Amino acid sequence: MVDYEPRTRLDTHDVTNMPPPFGGLNLYETDIALKEAAGLHGGEWVDGPLSALGAAAGSDEALQAGEDANRYLPELRTFDRFGGRIDEVRFHPAYHQCMALAMEHRIHSIGWREKRPGAHVAHAAALAIGSQAEAGTMCPMSMTYASVAALRKQPDVAAAWLPKIVDGVYEAPLRPIAEKRGVTIGMFMTEKQGGSDVRSNSTRAVPVGAGGPGGEYLLTGHKWFCSAPMSDAFLTLAYTDRGLSCFLAPRIKPDSTRNSMNLMRLKEKLGNRSNASAEFEYKDTFAWMIGEDGRGVATIMDMVHHTRLDTTAGSLGIMRRALAEAAHHARHRRAFQKTLIDQPVMRAVLADLALDYEAAAMFTMRIARAYDGTTPEERGFARLGVALGKFYIAKRTAPFVAECMECLGGGGYIEEAATARYYREAPVNAIWEGSGNVIALDILRTLQKEPLALDGLLAELAAARGRHPAYDASFDALHRLIGGGVVEGDARHLAERMALALQAALLLCHGAPDVASSYCDARLSGDTRGINYGASGAKLAVDTILARQ
């Protein structure tokens, strides 16, 4: 990561007992849990593209670009030097380097380009790998990927955009779509007064001519949280006389002039700093209607369904980078006459962390496989499974990264350490695309309205019965809980129990036996020893688990 050798002898002391820089490795090939889960659920073919991405994203150059993109933040340029309104965001070259790498390796499009089983598994694994190099750029990658599901509802409009998404390469300058080899797509839904309650939105859409699906409209209103504001177009919601509808608003109109989108300010966020997030005002903003008039929520939810997969996969990537940094440090740092990785308490902590990562990797890849499903049961499982994954894995990420950061001591708490950046990054996926309460209530609604989703989940859980006593007891308790009816106040409890059971079932059926058994003992057993990482040390197959990291 540097082009010179650091001095190991300073004026007052020698520099010793410091780990070498983390980098110069293949982020896929060194990740046994992800490699096994992606191959199991995606097929052998995923190894090729994922290994190529792993090598590129794990290079010293890519990791340095990720650091620089977060150190040198996006800047708002409202006007040009002549006073003309341009509403642009300027990024450091490292940001563009990260974006180009992501699109070169098709993180945004492999799920649609590959016409074979496992395409969405490859996408989810790729996004997890990309997040380890630079997490902020995975937001525009995710929205561009997910936009395909919504745009397909309006083939006449999508015809100009989908080839630029699926086959496109990264081109940052803002130009008419016909002049670009690739585009990115954003999504603007929330407004000040409503947040997740998008039916409280007030943005209005007025038809230009006849209107209707595929028709032209002018939008007026304010959007409160808009990430990746330099995308080429945005899927957005606005009211017509028939109700809340979905629209595609391009940055450049068909006549090659700039669309009327006033970029009001950039958000100063806790994390995800490389990725600009903004407030926008529409003022007679040109847009095409996507999907049925008055059915905008249903249309854009197809996009949200896919971005929720990415909040799970992105959290997986954040967990992996933090765990890899902690394990790297522990293998090279000595204390009390031993390397940290040989200290029993540290081993217990790292093994306990690794358990959660192993379970999350298997869980995320299984959910992604369901996105390739063609049966009603598999589609229902995808709907329920992704909500469980987003609720549990995304929420588990922040305490997970905090423990990994502590493994590095004070050196993990400074800005030069990746753990500090990923600690700030950790909460974002639990908030975006529906915070915990929204997702927990969505799980309840799915159970009530989509019986095939529950059937698919129970079939997955039943396959693991008889493999571990703690799992069997947990399965029976969950079955009673669901059968007794769950009130809204218990929605989070139900979501957590379902997620734990599903992770355990997948490990028991497909994971390393010692990992699966340790997970059931540590996460499902009634004989709990504590809630902190490392408290379950005596229950774990520590040597086997750490050998996989």
Side-chain angles (χ1 to χ4, degrees):
M1 298 178 69
V2 291
D3 56 4
Y4 59 88
E5 288 294 326
R7 291 167 57 198
T8 57
R9 172 64 186 169
L10 302 183
D11 292 340
T12 60
H13 63 282
D14 292 327
V15 178
T16 63
N17 196 26
M18 298 299 289
F22 178 90
L25 72 165
N26 189 311
L27 297 175
Y28 178 68
E29 297 293 345
T30 56
D31 187 347
I32 294 174
L34 179 62
K35 187 176 172 67
E36 288 180 353
L40 171 70
H41 294 295
E44 292 182 1
W45 73 267
V46 304
D47 266 352
L50 293 179
S51 185
L53 172 61
S59 68
D60 291 342
E61 181 183 18
L63 296 179
Q64 185 65 56
E67 181 180 332
D68 290 343
N70 284 272
R71 186 176 296 277
Y72 306 103
L73 304 185
E75 296 181 352
L76 174 61
R77 291 289 186 267
T78 308
F79 301 95
D80 66 17
R81 67 189 183 96
F82 303 107
R85 186 132 199 174
I86 56 175
D87 296 292
E88 291 186 357
V89 181
R90 302 286 171 84
F91 295 90
H92 187 270
Y95 171 88
H96 298 299
Q97 183 180 343
C98 294
M99 287 287 289
L101 184 149
M103 292 188 73
E104 176 188 351
H105 288 272
R106 303 295 178 190
I107 294 177
H108 68 299
S109 64
I110 193 170
W112 308 112
R113 282 169 61 91
E114 294 291 341
K115 308 298 183 184
R116 47 181 163 174
H120 292 285
V121 174
H123 163 75
L127 191 129
I129 294 168
S131 296
Q132 295 176 55
E134 204 296 292
T137 47
M138 294 303 103
C139 174
M141 289 301 97
S142 173
M143 290 192 294
T144 302
Y145 155 75
S147 70
V148 174
L151 288 172
R152 285 177 168 176
K153 295 288 186 70
Q154 199 61 50
D156 53 339
V157 175
W161 292 88
L162 289 184
K164 306 282 185 173
I165 295 171
V166 176
D167 299 316
V169 297
Y170 182 60
E171 286 193 353
L174 193 61
R175 293 198 298 267
I177 183 176
E179 299 176 14
K180 299 195 72 170
R181 294 182 299 155
V183 297
T184 57
I185 308 293
M187 175 172 56
F188 296 173
M189 287 200 295
T190 57
E191 298 182 9
K192 293 177 181 177
Q193 70 281 357
S196 295
D197 182 8
V198 294
R199 295 194 183 278
S200 298
N201 287 3
S202 61
T203 298
R204 300 293 303 180
V206 177
V208 178
E216 299 179 354
Y217 284 77
L218 297 179
L219 313 182
T220 300
H222 186 281
K223 293 298 178 179
W224 175 238
F225 216 105
C226 315
S227 291
M230 288 311 296
S231 299
D232 294 282
F234 308 97
L235 283 158
T236 191
L237 295 175
Y239 272 101
T240 67
D241 291 341
R242 291 193 174 185
L244 198 58
S245 303
C246 181
F247 298 88
L248 180 70
R251 290 296 307 279
I252 300 296
K253 295 190 290 186
D255 64 4
S256 298
T257 62
R258 288 176 183 261
N259 208 352
S260 176
M261 294 183 182
N262 294 339
L263 209 168
M264 306 305 291
R265 66 166 175 154
L266 297 186
K267 304 283 193 179
E268 295 186 16
K269 296 173 293 184
L270 169 67
N272 205 253
R273 293 180 177 181
S274 67
N275 176 42
S277 295
E279 293 176 36
F280 261 101
E281 280 192 349
Y282 297 146
K283 187 176 182 181
D284 290 335
T285 300
F286 174 86
W288 296 280
M289 181 178 284
I290 303 297
E292 187 179 345
D293 194 356
R295 294 275 298 164
V297 173
T299 299
I300 210 165
M301 280 304 296
D302 281 347
M303 181 176 185
V304 172
H305 179 56
H306 287 77
T307 54
R308 284 181 176 174
L309 173 63
D310 290 348
T311 60
T312 307
S315 296
L316 182 71
I318 292 170
M319 292 171 74
R320 177 59 190 176
R321 177 67 189 272
L323 177 60
E325 291 274 359
H328 174 80
H329 180 85
R331 287 192 173 100
H332 292 93
R333 180 77 167 174
R334 294 184 64 83
F336 309 111
Q337 292 78 52
K338 292 182 180 180
T339 56
L340 292 179
I341 196 72
D342 291 325
Q343 300 283 0
V345 179
M346 178 62 81
R347 292 178 66 78
V349 170
L350 290 172
D352 213 357
L353 287 163
L355 266 190
D356 270 356
Y357 179 71
E358 292 255 4
M362 186 66 74
F363 191 4
T364 304
M365 294 303 105
R366 173 63 184 97
I367 296 167
R369 191 185 91 200
Y371 277 63
D372 288 314
T374 57
T375 66
E377 291 80 6
E378 191 72 349
R379 289 195 294 268
F381 178 79
R383 171 94 164 81
L384 181 58
V386 76
L388 292 172
K390 173 171 164 42
F391 178 85
Y392 186 79
I393 295 173
K395 195 168 290 298
R396 191 75 168 163
T397 302
F400 182 99
V401 177
E403 191 68 52
C404 292
M405 181 166 58
E406 188 176 331
C407 291
L408 278 71
Y413 194 65
I414 60 175
E415 283 301 316
E416 289 101 328
T419 46
R421 167 161 50 108
Y422 279 91
Y423 183 61
R424 290 195 305 271
E425 196 77 32
V428 69
N429 288 312
I431 297 171
W432 281 356
E433 308 304 343
S435 56
N437 289 346
V438 171
I439 300 300
L441 293 174
D442 187 45
I443 290 168
L444 279 188
R445 284 191 294 271
T446 301
L447 293 177
Q448 294 164 359
K449 296 182 178 181
E450 300 184 32
L452 289 178
L454 179 58
D455 291 345
L457 174 68
L458 292 177
E460 203 82 26
L461 297 179
R465 291 211 64 179
R467 296 172 185 253
H468 194 284
Y471 174 79
D472 291 349
S474 178
F475 176 89
D476 293 340
L478 177 62
H479 208 277
R480 290 192 298 271
L481 177 63
I482 295 172
V486 179
V487 297
E488 285 191 2
D490 283 337
R492 281 185 172 227
H493 173 64
L494 173 65
E496 181 175 289
R497 300 314 303 175
M498 291 171 74
L500 283 167
L502 183 53
Q503 290 194 132
L506 291 169
L507 286 175
L508 287 168
C509 291
H510 309 294
D514 282 349
V515 173
S517 180
S518 293
Y519 188 85
C520 292
D521 287 335
R523 302 290 183 264
L524 302 181
S525 173
D527 179 24
T528 56
R529 304 181 61 186
I531 61 173
N532 291 314
Y533 283 110
S536 299
K539 288 177 172 287
L540 310 182
V542 172
D543 292 345
T544 301
I545 296 168
L546 291 183
R548 294 169 57 83
Q549 305 313 308

